[in-house]
Amino acid sequence: MKIKFPSISTLWSSFLKVVFRFPLQVLVAIAATIAWCLVVDTSKRTEEELILFLCTCNLALTVLLTVDLYAESNKFSVAKQWVLRLIGLLICVSLHFMLKPAFYLADVYRIALLAFAFHLLVAYSPFINKGSANGFWQYNKTLFLRILTSALYAGVLFAGLAIALVAIDGLFNVNIKWEVYMRLFAVVTAGFMTIFFLAGIPSDFEELDKDDSYPKGLKIFTQYVLIPLMTIYLVILLVYEAKIIVNWELPKGLVSTLILGYAVFGILSLLLIQPIKDKEGNGWIKLFSRFFYVMMIPLVVLLLLAVWKRVGSYGITESRYILVILAIWLTLITIYFLFSKKQSIKIIPVSLSILAILSTYGPQSAFSVSKFSQVKRLNMLMKSNEEEDVKQRSAVIDYLVDRHGLTVLQPFTKVNLRELEHEMELKDTAQYRYAIKRNKIDTAYSLLKVKRTEYAASFDYKQFEPETGTLTDIKGYDYLIPIESYNDKFSQKIGNVELRVERDKQSKSTKVIVGDTVVDFDILKMSIEATNLLKAGKLKGSGGKFYLPTELLSIVHKVGNMEVKLVVTTLNTTINADKKEELDRWFNYNGYLLVRIK
């Protein structure tokens, strides 16, 4: 058997077909590829803008694909199709300017929900009010297999090209930097993989209704891997439910995740076996499909109990709102498939996409409901003098400001928070978003006169390192002595002279003693300077780690006939380094003493 590889002309012809069929999608893929390549070496501010643009491209790709597939299946004219495309494009451009994920964590959730909803729209847009169940299943099977094939091809292509670059780097000393590999990854995934996937999307939707093929590999995977795993998880969950009944205790929070995981993979299994579940010779598959929703009844009850426990104790947040919605959806889906005589698998993606879209904006959205719930909870906590309630205040304030901004706390102060927040965000040209968000939270604590709990203060924990990394320049010095955070006192003989080191936990300084001469290396001052630079947005870094110029992490003193230089390689402190009570919990450092004999 000969394997015939496609010629260059065939590949070019296929590419042109994709361009003519999905012109805007190809442009979006190219734009996303360029943006991803630029993310690699840009400033923090630009990086955040590019990442938002990448998210918008993802939304635009699915929205435009939904529009085109709907227009194709309904045989719309070219003019009508372009009108729909422009409407879809306008929606995505509007979302790009409305969303501010760098400032509000709530918008990160919105992007995720919109992406989920728009991907589901692609799954059923050609079959809205038309097409058979078989055509719908064959269409989604094709998309599913095409995604897997695209990922496989992209993975092999990237690995092959990356190995080639490594070989060139090693053989010819080209010094290929890591940024090149990241750009290559962007081109292969955002560019090649997207266009390759688009090339495999079915175009004849009526022909899909006549297709009754079923991949043998899919049946084997579902029957002998997925369904047995689901059965094991079901047994574990049912035994746990029996334990709850016997001990008469409320379920743990983890159980809700396990039930949802079981439901997702169980429903996926049912969708995968839909065309063959009633055929002869598939007894195990038929048994699973018949009893899956029956066995979901006790699990749904357990899920609703777990949700009630979490919401009743701590109010609603975005994640708990999504959990509540999924629990209600799962309950209704279970009832539908148990009692409906005319069952349609199309209801699964349709209902999920509608719920996801409804959860993004409006008074019923996850963000409006959770904001109302947590503001109400904070109001209750502010009026209470119970020790446990006082401790919970800071966690609620952090949550509200982080997700919804400073203005959400307007009911608690007469200060115009909208104007104040606007002034803070105008300073974005001089500050990183992190510093602005930190200032908002600090302002909230000050206005509400709330003291941070230890839990809230732990988020202020920061680590500073030199820009040069672990590389320490010892040129001009005779000795190098390690300074470890666990070793408070030690001595070192240098010739006939004894050098002693004592770390003072109270003053946060390190004393170097030679004979009768004592010199203090003020690490506290170094820590305060570092955190002030961070608050001013002048440091690079992410998460809890930031980088300082080497000279700011080193101190030089003369001790007798020696010059001693303390070089800090890791400084762990808090954003409030000037507050002793917080510093005592988080302060430590490692480094070296460099000694030169004069």
Side-chain angles (χ1 to χ4, degrees):
M1 180 180 176
K2 292 183 179 180
I3 299 176
K4 186 178 180 181
F5 291 97
S7 63
I8 299 296
S9 61
T10 303
L11 291 173
W12 178 248
S13 176
S14 299
F15 173 73
L16 290 178
K17 285 181 181 178
V18 174
V19 172
F20 285 118
R21 186 183 178 195
F22 303 118
L24 292 181
Q25 290 87 335
V26 172
L27 286 175
V28 167
I30 293 172
T33 303
I34 295 170
W36 198 344
C37 289
L38 293 174
V39 166
V40 176
D41 50 359
T42 57
S43 66
K44 182 70 175 175
R45 175 187 166 91
T46 309
E47 178 186 333
E48 289 168 346
E49 290 174 351
L50 287 171
I51 290 173
L52 175 58
F53 179 75
L54 282 170
C55 293
T56 307
C57 286
N58 179 275
L59 298 178
L61 182 69
T62 49
V63 168
L64 293 171
L65 196 54
T66 297
V67 165
D68 279 354
L69 292 173
Y70 178 74
E72 285 182 2
S73 66
N74 289 278
K75 296 180 171 57
F76 286 170
S77 65
V78 175
K80 194 172 182 180
Q81 186 174 9
W82 272 102
V83 169
L84 290 176
R85 283 172 174 172
L86 291 175
I87 292 172
L89 206 57
L90 183 62
I91 290 171
C92 295
V93 171
S94 301
L95 287 171
H96 177 81
F97 289 104
M98 288 168 62
L99 296 167
K100 293 183 177 180
F103 283 129
Y104 311 110
L105 189 60
D107 281 349
V108 176
Y109 280 88
R110 279 195 176 94
I111 290 171
L113 285 168
L114 288 169
F116 177 69
F118 293 166
H119 279 78
L120 287 174
L121 285 173
V122 175
Y124 67 83
S125 57
F127 294 89
I128 297 175
N129 297 325
K130 64 184 303 181
S132 67
N134 180 64
F136 173 74
W137 188 91
Q138 293 293 343
Y139 163 74
N140 280 280
K141 177 207 73 174
T142 305
L143 292 186
F144 178 68
L145 295 178
R146 190 68 180 185
I147 289 172
L148 295 180
T149 306
S150 302
L152 175 63
Y153 281 26
V156 172
L157 181 61
F158 173 74
L161 293 175
I163 291 170
L165 289 175
V166 171
I168 293 171
D169 192 2
L171 295 174
F172 302 102
N173 296 320
V174 180
N175 189 24
I176 298 174
K177 296 182 179 180
W178 67 271
E179 289 92 344
V180 176
Y181 294 95
M182 289 301 298
R183 293 190 186 100
L184 174 63
F185 184 75
V187 171
V188 170
T189 52
F192 167 80
M193 184 175 167
T194 302
I195 294 172
F196 184 83
F197 169 75
L198 292 173
I201 295 177
S203 57
D204 190 343
F205 302 107
E206 293 178 358
E207 189 64 28
L208 289 170
D209 290 335
K210 305 171 186 175
D211 186 5
D212 59 355
S213 62
Y214 189 89
K216 187 176 180 180
L218 193 60
K219 177 184 175 182
I220 293 171
F221 172 74
T222 307
Q223 185 171 2
Y224 296 108
V225 178
L226 210 52
I227 292 178
L229 282 174
M230 292 301 97
T231 306
I232 292 170
Y233 276 107
L234 175 63
V235 171
I236 293 171
L237 290 169
L238 290 177
V239 170
Y240 177 68
E241 186 162 14
K243 176 177 175 289
I244 289 173
I245 294 171
V246 172
N247 296 336
W248 201 245
E249 60 181 14
L250 287 173
K252 296 180 180 179
L254 175 65
V255 74
S256 58
T257 305
L258 293 175
I259 292 172
L260 287 175
Y262 170 78
V264 167
F265 284 103
I267 291 172
L268 176 62
S269 301
L270 289 178
L271 293 176
L272 291 175
I273 61 174
Q274 180 68 22
I276 60 168
K277 64 184 177 104
D278 295 321
K279 291 185 178 181
E280 292 296 325
N282 296 323
W284 174 238
I285 291 176
K286 186 184 294 185
L287 185 67
F288 177 79
S289 62
R290 182 176 298 173
F291 288 100
F292 173 78
Y293 287 107
V294 174
M295 300 311 297
M296 278 304 302
I297 295 174
L299 296 184
V300 165
V301 174
L302 183 59
L303 176 61
L304 292 172
L305 278 173
V307 170
W308 173 75
K309 177 186 176 184
R310 296 296 296 173
V311 172
S313 301
Y314 303 105
I316 297 176
T317 61
E318 285 83 3
S319 55
R320 290 176 199 144
Y321 177 96
I322 293 169
L323 186 62
V324 169
I325 291 298
L326 286 175
I328 295 171
W329 175 82
L330 195 56
T331 303
L332 295 176
I333 284 293
T334 300
I335 294 170
Y336 171 79
F337 279 103
L338 281 176
F339 299 105
S340 176
K341 294 181 179 180
K342 191 178 180 181
Q343 299 176 355
S344 172
I345 58 174
K346 201 187 300 183
I347 194 173
I348 293 173
V350 171
S351 58
L352 277 175
S353 63
I354 292 172
L355 287 175
I357 292 172
L358 289 175
S359 299
T360 54
Y361 286 103
Q364 80 295 329
S365 69
F367 314 99
S368 296
V369 173
S370 61
K371 182 167 64 175
F372 174 80
S373 173
Q374 292 303 317
V375 168
K376 183 179 177 182
R377 181 167 171 242
L378 180 60
N379 189 45
M380 181 271 292
L381 294 173
M382 293 294 288
K383 292 177 180 177
S384 173
N385 292 320
E386 295 289 333
E387 184 180 353
E388 189 59 33
D389 290 341
V390 172
K391 286 181 180 180
Q392 291 181 30
R393 290 175 184 172
S394 59
V396 180
I397 291 172
D398 283 350
Y399 163 84
L400 285 169
V401 178
D402 192 34
R403 282 166 170 75
H404 304 285
L406 199 56
T407 55
V408 74
L409 300 176
Q410 191 62 69
F412 301 93
T413 179
K414 294 180 180 179
V415 177
N416 189 332
L417 295 183
R418 185 175 298 280
E419 188 177 307
L420 182 61
E421 187 169 46
H422 180 65
E423 288 177 4
M424 289 181 177
E425 292 179 2
L426 283 178
K427 298 176 183 178
D428 188 29
T429 53
Q431 290 183 293
Y432 289 147
R433 306 291 171 86
Y434 168 82
I436 296 172
K437 289 177 75 171
R438 188 71 261 166
N439 287 342
K440 288 181 182 180
I441 292 176
D442 289 341
T443 301
Y445 278 109
S446 177
L447 289 172
L448 271 63
K449 296 181 175 59
V450 172
K451 184 180 179 181
R452 273 186 174 87
T453 62
E454 183 172 345
Y455 172 75
S458 68
F459 289 103
D460 295 335
Y461 177 84
K462 298 291 170 263
Q463 180 173 299
F464 297 95
E465 293 183 1
E467 292 174 337
T468 54
T470 56
L471 186 67
T472 302
D473 185 6
I474 61 173
K475 186 179 180 180
Y477 288 90
D478 302 307
Y479 301 97
L480 182 148
I481 304 171
I483 301 287
E484 304 290 348
S485 60
Y486 59 83
N487 197 353
D488 291 332
K489 291 183 179 181
F490 64 91
S491 61
Q492 179 70 51
K493 276 274 189 177
I494 300 179
N496 295 322
V497 180
E498 183 182 36
L499 182 147
R500 290 185 292 132
V501 177
E502 295 181 1
R503 292 159 64 105
D504 191 330
K505 291 184 177 180
Q506 295 298 319
S507 64
K508 311 304 176 191
S509 67
T510 294
K511 295 180 180 179
V512 176
I513 306 164
V514 177
D516 295 328
T517 306
V518 181
V519 175
D520 283 344
F521 289 82
D522 194 348
I523 311 299
L524 176 57
K525 181 181 178 183
M526 179 188 293
S527 177
I528 293 172
E529 288 176 352
T531 54
N532 284 339
L533 287 172
L534 176 60
K535 290 175 182 178
K538 296 180 179 179
L539 299 182
K540 292 183 178 180
S542 60
K545 184 184 290 187
F546 297 88
Y547 302 96
L548 283 167
T550 307
E551 59 269 18
L552 295 181
L553 285 173
S554 59
I555 306 170
V556 181
H557 283 305
K558 291 181 180 179
V559 189
N561 67 335
M562 300 179 185
E563 180 180 290
V564 181
K565 181 178 182 180
L566 174 62
V567 179
V568 175
T569 54
T570 305
L571 173 62
N572 299 306
T573 182
T574 78
I575 198 75
N576 300 297
D578 54 341
K579 296 181 181 179
K580 184 180 181 302
E581 66 276 8
E582 293 188 21
L583 199 62
D584 287 342
R585 287 193 293 268
W586 313 113
F587 185 88
N588 65 75
Y589 72 93
N590 294 314
Y592 299 98
L593 279 180
L594 302 179
V595 181
R596 177 164 57 205
I597 307 295
K598 292 189 175 181

